[in-house]
Structure formats: C-alpha cells, structure tokens
Amino acid sequence: MAEQEASGLQVLLSTLQSSCDKDVILNILSVLTDLLSLGTGRRIHYVVSKGGSEALLQALATAAQTEPPDHGTLLPLLRLLARVGQRDRKFGLKVQKAEATDIILSLTRRHLGHHLYLTHCLWVLRVCASNVTTGTMLGINGAMELLFKVITPYSKRHVRTVRAAIGALAALLKSKSNSRRAVNRGYLGELLRLYQDWHRNDVSNNYIYIRRGLLLCLKYITNIQLGRETFLGSRGMEILFTSVQDCLSCKNLDPIITTATHILRKCYPKEHLPVVTVRSSYSFPLPGNASAEPPCEGSEGDSESEGEEEDEKDWDNEDVESKEEDCDLETDVNKLRSRPVLDRPEQELEKYEALCAELFQNFQELEFESEEKKSLEDRTESLPSAPSHFIPSATSVKHPNCRWRNQSVTEMGPDPGEQDFKVPLQSWRKKEECIWDKNDENRDIAEKARDKEFCEEGDPARSHVFALCSLLKDSAWYKKVFYLHCEASIDPSPEGRLESSDLVRNLLEKHRMDIPFHSPCFYAARAQCVKSIPGYRELAFPDFWGHQPPPYSKPVLERKHGLQRDKVLDDVRRLIQPGDVIGRTVFDLDDPSSLSSPAAPSCLTFFSKFESGNLRKAIQVREFEYDLIMNADVNSSQHHQWFYFEVRDMKPAVPYRFNIINCEKLNSQFNYGMQLVMYSVREALQGRPRWTRAGQEICYYKNHYRCRSAAAGGGGVRRRFYYTLTFSIKFPHKDDVCYLAYHYPYTYSTMMSHLDILEQNRNPRKVYWRQQTLCQTLGGNACPLLTITAMPESKNRDDLEQFCSRPYVFLTARVHPGESNASWVMKGTLEFLVSSDPIAELLRKCFIFKIVPMLNPDGVINGNLRCSLSGDDLNRQWLTPSSQLHPTIYHAKGLLYYLSSIGRAPLVFCDYHGHSQKKNVFLYGCSIKETLWQAGCMVDTAVVTEDVGYRTLPKILDKVAPAFVMNSCSFLVEKSRASTARVVVWKEMGVLRSYTMESTYCSCSHGLYRGLQLGTQELEEMGSKFCLGLLILHLKSLPCSKELMAQAALLLDLEEEITDRAQRRYSNSSLESDDEPPCAEEIDYDTACSSDGEEEFLELDQEIQECLSCVEAETEDEGVTTGQTCSSRALRGLYISSQPAPNSTALPLGSSALGLCRGFESSPV
C-alpha cells in the first residue's frame, strides 16, 4: 500500500514536470494545494522527500518561458513553492542547481507594477534567501536594490506587498556579505527612518508585522561589527529606545518590544570589566616549578561544567545538543573495559594502612576504659537525639499543601524540630584552651600535636574577638542590643579590639540560641586555626551564630512578564540618559584603602573578607542600585558564580537593586524561580537565626561586558561575554547587617566544628568514630578523613571478624567549593550515621564508612567556585593527580587503591555535588552497554557482559527520598569525564556502584517538594535518605544473617508505612501541573541567533492564506476569470469538473490523485 502511495505521488510530480497541458498542470497544482493545506508540515516533508521541490522548480522554469506569462499557472505554483521551499532544508541548493535564481528575480522585476503577482514572487524570493549561499547570490544580482524600491518611500498602499518585501529583505540580510553591502550602501539609515515612519503612523497598531519585519532587518544587519557601529552612529539606540517606551503599555506589541530590546542589548557598546585585571585578587605561590596558567577563557572546549557532569553549550535546539553529547560518548569498548596501570609505586600504598586502623584493632582496651571516658559515655548517652538523626516521617516532612511543618506526634516519636537537643554550654567552654580534648584516645597523635600547635600560634584570649570584631565596627546599634546594661565594659582596647570575655558573655547569655550541632565557641576556636590567603581576621556572623532551618519552604518565584526586557532597558537608559548615574566605587578588594574609608552618606557598606566570602568590587550606580563584581578563583581568571558578602547601613522597605555583572554560565535557575539567600543579624538576635530565600525581580541575561584572553593554540583573541544576575531586595530593618549568598553557605570551620561536636556527642559504646587527617592542603589546612561503623558487640572472635569483614562505603563531598549544597547533604549523612536511630544502628553494623567531607578545603576557605589554590578543577585530576598540586585527590585515590589492593574495594563510592542548571537530586553512574547503546553502536551481548547492579541504588532512592528522581539519572561514560572521580573509581578500582550525586540549588520537579525551593532541611534529609538506601541495597545485594534480616524488615516496614501515608496525602493534594513554567518571554542569549523555525513557517503560511482569502473574496465580488487570478477555489472547481466518469479511464491522473489522497490519510507522515 505504501509503495502504491509513493508511486502515485511520483507519477503526479513526474507529470507536473513533463506535461505541457495547462489543464493537467492546473489539476495537479490543485490536488497538491488541497493535500498540503491539511494537516501539519509533515505532509510537506513527505512531498519534499519524493522530489516535490525539484518538480515545482522545473514547472516554474517551464511556466516562466511562456510569453506572456500564464498567471493562472504561475500563482498557485509560486504559492506551493513558498510553502514547500520553507520546509525544505536544501531548497536553496536545489534552486541553484535548477538555475532558478535568475528566473525568480526576473519574474519579480517584471511584476513590479502588479502587486498581487509581485507578492507571490517575493514569497518565493524570501524562501530562496533563507539559504545563505543562495541569499548571497541574490544579493549580488541586485535583489536588495529591488526590494528597497518596493518598501520605500513610506506608504500604506499595498501593505501585503510591502510586508512580503520586508520579509524577503530580512531573509537576505541573514547573509553577512549582504549585511555589509546594505551598510555600505546606506540602507541601515533608510531602515531606521522607515521604521520611525511606520511607528509614528501606525497609531492603531494594525501593521505590527511590518514594524517587526523592519526590526528583524536591523537585527540581522547588526550581527556584524560594521552594522553595530553604523547603528550607533545613526542614533539607532536612541531611536529604538524611544520607540520601545511608547510600546510598553500595550501587550500586543510584545513581538516588537522583544526584538527591539534584543537589538539594543546587542548594540550596547562593549566594555571590559571595571577591574584592574580579570585575574583573581588573590594569588598563591605554587610549590616547585609549577606555575598557575589559567585555561583559555574563550575556548569552548574549556567551558565550565555543571556539578560534575554537564558542559555548557549554547545550543539552538535539543537535537543538536543530543548529537554533540553522543559525540562525546566513549565508544571504544577496550577503553571502557581497560584497567589502567597503577599511577604510583606499589610500595607507596603501604602508608595508607595507617588510615585503616579499624582492620587491625583488637579492641582489648574495651575492658579498661577510664572513668573519665565512662563518664563521657554516660553523659552523651543521656543526650536526646538530634533532629536529623531521624529519617523524617510523614508528619515531619514539609507538605506542599500547607507549606508548614506538621507538629503532631507519630510512631517515630515527637517531631524532632520540637526537641530540645543541645550540648550544655559549659561543656563548650574551656577557658584559654583548645576546644577539643587532646587526650581523647581516638584522636590521631599527629593530629593532636598539629591542632595544639595551630591553636597556640595566636593569643587564645583573642579567638572570640577574631570572630566578631567586624560586627561591632561602626555599628552603634550593636552596643545597644548587646550591652544594654554594661556599656562601660565594651570600650575598645588600645588595639581597637574588644575584650573577648565581655563580648562572648553578652552575646551567648543575652541572645543565646540553641541550634543543634552548632556551637559559636567551637566555631570561633576552629576559625582561628584556619589558614587563608587574605589572612582572615574577621568572621561572618551567620557562620558564628549558626543557622536554623525555617519551618516552611518557599515556592519557586513566579517570573513577572517582561522582566528581562525591563532590566535591559534600564541598562540602556544608563547609556542614553547618564545624568543620574553616580558611578562611585564603594568597595574594592584591589584597593585596600576603600575597605577602611568611611562610607558615603546614603550608601551601603559592603564587606567580604571572611571565610568563603566572595565580592571583589561594588559600584554605586544610582542611589539604590549597585553593580557587583565577583572575584575569580585563586590563581585563575574565570569561574564566577559563587558570591557571599556582608552589606549594612541600609534603609528599610526600600527596594535595592543589585547587578552581579560578571557571571559566566550561559543560563541559570535564577531564570526559573530560584532565589538567593539572605541572613539578617537583627532577625537572628530576635530568635530567628536563619538563611532565608530572598529577592524579587530576579533575572539572568547576557550583558555588554566582555573579556579578552589568548585563544588556545594560536595567537588570536577570543571574546567571552559575561552575564548579569540582577535582583531586588527590601531589607527588613534599618541599619541592619545582612549577608547575601548564592546558596546556603557551609564553611570549612563549620565542618570542622561540626565534626568536633559529633565526636563529642556520639555514644562510644555503639559508634566507632575515628577522625584522622588524610593530608595537608596546599594552604596548610587539614583535610579530615572519617571512619564510622558500629562497635563490635564484644571482643569475641566472631564479633571481631564480623567487624573487620564489613564492606566499605566511600563518600566524598565538596570538591567544588561553590557547591555548598553538597556539604549540607553530607551533614545529613554524618548526623544520621552517628545517631541513635535504629536504622542508623543497623546500617553501622552493615558497613564501614570512609568519608572525606571536604575534598577542597582551600577553595572553600578562600571563596572559590570550582578550583583549588593551584587553579585546577580537582574533579578533573583523578587520572594523574599530583601529590604536590592536588594532595587531597592524590591521597584519596591512594587510599582507594590501597583498599582495592587488599581486596576491600568499596561496595559503593559516591561523590556529593551540586548542580546549578538542573532540578531534583539524581545520580550519575557508569555503564558500558548504556553508553554504547546511546552512541548507536552495535552491542554484542555475548562479548560485552555487565552487571546491572549499578541501577539498584538509584531505584531505591527514587522510592525512599522525596527529592530524588530516577528519570534525571544518567549512566553514560563521556570522554570529557574520563578524569572525574566517578569514572576513575569505576574503571581503575572496579567499583560497579561508582556515582556522582547531584543536588539542585533550586527545586524539584516531582514528588513532595514539587515547586518548592529546597532548603537545608531537605538537603540534610537527602543525606539521611541516602543512608537508608544503602541499607536496603545491602539487604538486596549481600548475604545477611537471619537476625539482621528480621530486624531490618521490622524497621523498613515501619518506614514504608510512614512513607506510604505521606505519599497518599500528597497524591490527594492539589498541586500545580507545571513544575518549571517557561519564562514569560524569550531568553535570547546568542547575539547571532535568529527566530527561524516553525514559528517563522507558520507566519509565512498565515501571510499566504490571508492573501489567498482576499483574492478569493475579490474573485467572487468582481467575477474575475480563472485566467486572470486562479484562486484555489477555482482550481478545485477545475479539478472536479475534469474528473472522468466512474467507469472511464480517459484521464489516469484522476485515479492517481485519488489514490494519493487516500495515501495521505493513512500515511505515517
């Protein structure tokens, strides 16, 4: 049947090419018109695939040779050519091959005086010009001059013809050579004047398509540098800006506003960032002969990836993106299956035995515990559990309907958030001493000495002053709040510092907040030991005071219509109306004098020289608007995304606008409802110490700043454009001190003090905890390594053997400093592992956990986004890490090598990351077969065998973790990821379940948290749910004792019951159907992109149909003969009248055509 259909169409097209009979040709054209006027563009593609374009072009050549031209044939033929040609990607080449360009131009010139015929010719001319080569040829042959005769001077006569001519001109100007020709001949100024005429005279907005068509012409001309320069010289910015202001009040004019705004943004004079150098304000001398050579900033090959995985490319469509991803897939089976040789001498692995003391410990000391340790155990055992020790039950999870935490009591006990979990304050204070116990037998001896040395370097009495000196500087209100009754005790010392005893006493006693697993004193003492490049002497209040998650989640921010264009227009106003621009630098890391000079009146004060802080420069643009510049990573000139800074001296309830002008990502979740986070000191002291989602009118778009750098492999120059993140904030209090950050900060000192508290609060009888130093970083900071498992039941041989034979799980996090969400997930994992929760106790009996909670301490400390002090992305160094430049990666890999060499390779390896452009929490894994299948390779299942167990854990997490989505997971192995932890551990250590876990910065698209921005509580919950998933994986994958299985079944049944109840309640709730609504406007980032596509096809189809309807109406009213204007209705009449009788075979065309009609109805196209 399909062959008959194809045969019928081919006969039809062949007859069209060869026949000279006018009636036959009209019949064929009528049938094709009817067929292609129904359905979608897929029918046209089917006709194209059968040679329809060639047949129509041949028929056009034949018809054009007739003298005089037969318009009854030409008009339907031209209409069909316009409709078919615009969907034929090779139409331009076919036009050249048929030598039809001269024919089309000749027909256009011949019909300049007849606007109906001319309109049809212009449609075909527009379609031909869509091919750049054909368009260039038409431009050389005078097509543009011809079109300008049609569109100038301004006139409202024959507007359909003018519209068609402008559309053809826009298509021609997509060719850069045509654009240059247009500029050189002065056409750009003509277009601007013509646009002004149409704008002024189109009071009723009846000619929007003509006005937008003129703007498209300007848009394509300004794609070249010469066009932009001429546009600026012709006052194009002022003309378009003024016209856009007139259009803003009418929503119907959005197509005009959007196109004009794009032109304004693109033609804004390009500038370099207002900084001394694009390199970081901080530099670090590297050991040996190593030098910090930044990667090429303009090279696409070095584009920054999301989390671990997703390289950023400015794709035009998803098909191109998927093709490029497929090209990156590793298709060499030998490389996928190979085990590379050891990257270091084998004898060097012996030193890692000291990091696995649990395998050689005999636990004889269990009988000889000191009274002091027993007392500690009794004290810690009596402490209540921490909130995140529990796997959240249905009632403790924030529900989308109410947005508030349910405070009822469940089978799991009282709601954890209501429990009074705290360590007594007096146990935190050890006057004039380090806060950790140096006599703890579980503390590594070398680390004890190092800790002691670090803390004795400075005066211990200044440790708390160090933490808070910035808070009191030039802030009179602090004195009133902190020291209402003891102002005499707060006078500064001669050195300008306050007495630490007064400071700490007033803060902790007057405004004491009990935040689980956080101690300001622990934090201050740990922060004193941190080594940073700037030599931080001040501490951010949020890190010192702590963060308590809010009892609710905020939904994603709804994007206001027209927000992006409004912000771009505000930027253009600076150029056109500079009178109100202040342009005053109020903060500059490169100018130390600006940090100490008093702030100008009515001006915010900024500060960022504290741990994890990142703000390089602040410029006051207007009274309530500031441009901000982020600092690049140390020893680098790129990687700008993370920001964290302090701001003070604000007015309340006033919308301050902040523009971060040197972002590098091509897109951001800020365009899809994500908000930044803010911490108010006043709010904290009033009992609400928390980071909250904040910011309105948030938008992310390409700006006019650019950076020049040497291109890779050549002496040329590439330009990299920056992007602006703009947002407005109304501060809640006058003269408050607030902190703004990209995401919830989690500093190195926070982690270290958290580990101290966890170690002190664990139950030593049940929890085996060993904290060691994996290595020292380049900056001289310790990289901690944790070992967590269950203590053996006794010192019996069977219990000790069970202890030593437990499989390993290896977890790492924060290799990228800007991914602070990874640390919050890790926090949830750690707190769950040491908790008294029954599932946690069972999990500790199943596994030995090796955990590196922060692989890049130096980067976190110094406010980097992605790199270490060496300027390298550490997650691209796992193949051949340097012991000098990448010590944390080198030794983490060495430990994994050691475990593999003794037959104890981890059952699971997982590296925690954050993803700034995707929603949900998900895993990346490794699979040979899935990679080959995705790449379209043939897979011989007899040769390529693979255990599918790598999918088990993601499937489990999809069921137990509300934020986790299996559909977001990927198990492909890309060439560009060959040096990441996930791929190296999978390939070199043979770990089947080697993963990267990515957590969104924004929100979820499914489940309980759909449409809600994730907070720290949800991230910590994900960490605990990951542990639950590991337990279920153990039960599914490994042999277990009957006792263990029974105990696990009981606990998991209870957990499943609670989860099912939450899911039932969720399924009955009314949720929004769209988790990520599209932006209210087109986000146009690429200055060279156009609006080609199905929308443009539909626009031309509509234009043809409107003209056709008008012609038909005129035909009926005036009785025009078929020979004068052959409308489609007349053609259909001709076709019907020419059909033979049912039994006749006089015209085989009829049966072929009918068969073709039936074929289209049933055809798969």
Side-chain angles (χ1 to χ4, degrees), residues 428-441:
W428 293 342
R429 295 181 179 172
K430 297 191 177 182
K431 295 182 180 179
E432 310 302 324
E433 295 178 3
C434 293
I435 61 176
W436 48 87
D437 185 0
K438 299 185 181 64
N439 296 318
D440 189 345
E441 293 181 3

Side-chain angles (χ1 to χ4, degrees), residues 715-736:
V717 170
R718 287 183 179 269
R719 297 174 180 175
R720 187 186 70 201
F721 286 90
Y722 291 109
Y723 295 78
T724 292
L725 165 63
T726 180
F727 55 90
S728 297
I729 285 186
K730 291 183 179 180
F731 295 103
H733 303 287
K734 180 182 179 181
D735 293 331
D736 194 0

Side-chain angles (χ1 to χ4, degrees), residues 506-571:
N506 281 280
L507 276 177
L508 298 182
E509 293 181 2
K510 185 174 180 62
H511 304 281
R512 177 174 167 185
M513 276 298 299
D514 296 325
I515 298 176
F517 295 112
H518 182 78
S519 160
C521 295
F522 272 39
Y523 188 91
R526 273 296 186 179
Q528 186 189 17
C529 303
V530 168
K531 296 184 178 180
S532 63
I533 294 178
Y536 298 134
R537 298 304 304 163
E538 301 178 358
L539 189 68
F541 185 87
D543 305 322
F544 169 81
W545 200 244
H547 161 74
Q548 194 171 54
Y552 58 89
S553 287
K554 292 191 68 173
V556 293
L557 185 67
E558 184 177 353
R559 186 183 177 95
K560 188 180 74 173
H561 174 76
L563 178 62
Q564 176 179 304
R565 72 183 186 208
D566 291 345
K567 299 303 180 183
V568 172
L569 291 175
D570 282 345
D571 293 344

Side-chain angles (χ1 to χ4, degrees), residues 22 26 70-72 1115 1119-1127 1130-1131 1134:
K22 176 181 176 181
L26 286 174
D70 183 2
H71 295 107
T1115 303
V1120 180
T1121 64
T1122 305
Q1124 293 170 323
T1125 58
C1126 190
S1127 69
L1131 288 175
L1134 285 172

Side-chain angles (χ1 to χ4, degrees), residues 188-229:
L188 192 149
E190 285 290 324
L191 287 172
L192 280 172
R193 286 190 289 272
L194 195 59
Y195 173 75
Q196 284 181 290
D197 291 337
W198 280 101
H199 174 74
R200 279 195 300 264
N201 293 286
D202 187 18
V203 179
S204 301
N205 296 325
N206 294 325
Y207 306 108
I208 295 176
Y209 281 112
I210 291 180
R211 291 157 64 184
R212 183 173 181 270
L214 291 170
L215 288 174
L216 287 176
C217 294
L218 293 171
K219 176 180 176 180
Y220 298 136
I221 286 183
T222 53
N223 279 341
I224 62 173
Q225 180 67 27
L226 178 62
R228 292 190 290 271
E229 293 173 353

Side-chain angles (χ1 to χ4, degrees), residues 932-950:
L932 296 176
W933 285 332
Q934 180 67 29
C937 301
M938 297 296 294
V939 180
D940 187 349
T941 55
V943 176
V944 181
T945 59
E946 187 174 50
D947 184 350
V948 295
Y950 62 87

Side-chain angles (χ1 to χ4, degrees), residues 645-657:
F645 58 88
E646 172 192 295
V647 59
R648 64 172 73 204
D649 300 328
M650 66 283 294
K651 296 179 180 179
V654 173
Y656 286 87
R657 179 182 172 184

